[in-house]
């Protein structure tokens, strides 16, 4: 893309500079430090649920109250954990990712401010 691109998009060289910048590497690192451990924890929790459902029928069919079983509780907790992870990610992103991403965006859109 050229500098005179009517879409207003920065030239490709700008994206390469951003990709190679320390701020972008920091942003990527912050994202990875949250996403990878959280994904691992959630997948382990889900795998536990699946394995218990498959191999621990007696435990999962244990009644807690009425027809409400441990298996049903664990299944509902899958939804709870998904919402919890989403809430934690939004908090983390608002505090640690968005300000840095906004600075990077400002540097791209207003290159004259960089030297000031």
């Amino acid at each position: 893309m050229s500098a005179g691109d009517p879409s207003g998009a920065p030239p490709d060289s700008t994206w390469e500079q951003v990709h190679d910048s320390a701020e972008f590497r920091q942003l990527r690192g912050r994202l990875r430090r949250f996403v990878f451990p959280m994904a691992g924890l959630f997948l382990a929790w889900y795998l536990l649920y699946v394995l218990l459902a498959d191999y621990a029928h007696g435990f999962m069919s244990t009644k807690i109250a009425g027809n409400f079983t441990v298996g049903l509780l664990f299944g509902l907790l899958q939804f709870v954990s998904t919402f919890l992870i989403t809430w934690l990610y939004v908090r983390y992103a608002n505090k640690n990712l968005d300000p840095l991403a906004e600075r990077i965006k400002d540097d791209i859109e207003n290159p004259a401010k960089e030297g000031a």
Side-chain angles (χ1 to χ4, degrees), residues 15 18 23 32 37 60-61 63 67 84 90-91 94 102 114:
W15 296 119
V18 169
E23 280 187 323
R32 288 176 177 167
M60 295 295 269
S61 63
K63 292 185 180 191
N67 286 331
L84 178 63
V90 168
R91 279 187 61 204
N94 286 340
E102 192 63 35
E114 271 183 63

Side-chain angles (χ1 to χ4, degrees), residues 8 19 31 33 36 42 47 49 57 68 85 92-93 101-102 111:
H19 184 268
L31 177 68
R33 274 191 296 279
F36 290 152
F42 181 77
L47 182 62
Y49 172 64
H57 297 281
F68 192 76
I85 289 169
Y92 182 82
E102 192 63 35

